[in-house]
Amino acid sequence: MLIIAFVAETSYQLVSRLEEISSSSVVGGGQSKGTLTAELKVMDKIAKDVGDVQSRLLDHRPVINAEIRYFVREFEEKRGYRESRLLENISKSVLEANQQMPPANSGDMNQQLSEVIKRLAAAHHMAERVQQRELEAQQGTQLKANMEQLKEDWAEFLKEQQRLKEEVDEEHARAVGQLSTKYSEKKKELAKFTL
């Protein structure tokens, strides 16, 4: 604080002395031209020194800029230049997007949209055909499996029917045998009564 007050006071004295010199040279105050020039040179040097001191004390830009550069360098070293790589990648993406931007002309845009719609319709049709083929193949294998199962079931059914038929035939033969013996007994009894 003291230095700033000194610089301000010195600069005020310097300005007032310069005003005195300039007014005395205009008025023609009693000093010789040589002494006046020597005083002006000394005053100029003093003004330069005071200006340097003042700029160093009051103008912190060079120091601040150096500190900022140091901080940024340290920050970038610790971060491994991730942000700069990220910004470069974003810049590349933006450039690619700008190159691939659709034209501003609505006629061209409509034409491109119609081409895209045609391609989508063709892709949709192809996907439906693939699905249909897959479904048919799946149904074909499923149909074959079902047919084999039906054949096995049919063969089993026929065996069961044959067994049931044999049982029924045996029962029928027994029933016929019983009925025949019964009728023959009845015939004999009837023959006894008629005789």
Side-chain angles (χ1 to χ4, degrees):
M1 235 16 216
L2 188 61
I3 296 174
I4 294 173
F6 170 73
V7 169
E9 184 180 329
T10 308
S11 54
Y12 176 74
Q13 288 175 356
L14 180 64
V15 168
S16 62
R17 181 70 180 138
L18 283 174
E19 286 177 356
E20 282 178 21
I21 291 173
S22 62
S23 65
S24 68
S25 65
V26 170
V27 176
Q31 292 181 349
S32 73
K33 191 157 186 137
T35 11
L36 189 60
T37 309
E39 268 187 43
L40 279 176
K41 284 183 183 179
V42 170
M43 292 302 281
D44 188 37
K45 286 181 183 179
I46 292 173
K48 214 179 224 185
D49 287 343
V50 168
D52 286 345
V53 169
Q54 183 180 6
S55 68
R56 285 187 182 179
L57 288 176
L58 299 179
D59 188 15
H60 301 295
R61 277 182 271 157
V63 174
I64 290 173
N65 285 339
E67 286 294 321
I68 289 172
R69 281 193 302 271
Y70 176 75
F71 176 77
V72 167
R73 189 178 331 113
E74 286 293 315
F75 184 76
E76 286 177 348
E77 286 175 2
K78 287 180 182 175
R79 301 285 295 206
Y81 298 100
R82 277 187 275 170
E83 283 76 21
S84 62
R85 286 194 300 264
L86 179 66
L87 288 175
E88 287 173 6
N89 290 341
I90 291 172
S91 175
K92 286 178 186 176
S93 299
V94 167
L95 288 174
E96 288 175 5
N98 284 338
Q99 290 172 356
Q100 295 175 356
M101 285 292 286
N105 189 354
S106 63
D108 290 342
M109 199 177 298
N110 286 337
Q111 182 182 3
Q112 287 180 354
L113 279 175
S114 65
E115 289 176 14
V116 167
I117 289 171
K118 288 177 187 175
R119 288 181 184 170
L120 280 174
H124 181 69
H125 179 68
M126 290 168 83
E128 282 182 346
R129 282 186 18 215
V130 167
Q131 274 185 331
Q132 186 177 7
R133 285 182 188 159
E134 186 177 317
L135 184 62
E136 288 172 359
Q138 189 178 31
Q139 285 177 346
T141 56
Q142 199 171 24
L143 185 62
K144 286 180 184 177
N146 286 344
M147 288 299 286
E148 291 297 321
Q149 184 65 36
L150 285 176
K151 284 181 184 178
E152 290 174 10
D153 291 346
W154 184 253
E156 193 175 311
F157 174 74
L158 287 177
K159 286 179 186 176
E160 182 69 23
Q161 289 301 316
Q162 185 66 30
R163 187 184 61 77
L164 289 174
K165 180 185 170 202
E166 288 172 2
E167 284 180 10
V168 168
D169 285 345
E170 283 177 16
E171 267 184 51
H172 179 30
R174 255 187 274 134
V176 167
Q178 285 176 355
L179 281 175
S180 353
T181 55
K182 196 176 190 183
Y183 281 119
S184 61
E185 286 175 8
K186 292 280 182 187
K187 220 179 197 184
K188 284 180 185 176
E189 283 179 19
L190 194 61
K192 277 185 196 180
F193 288 122
T194 55
L195 274 176

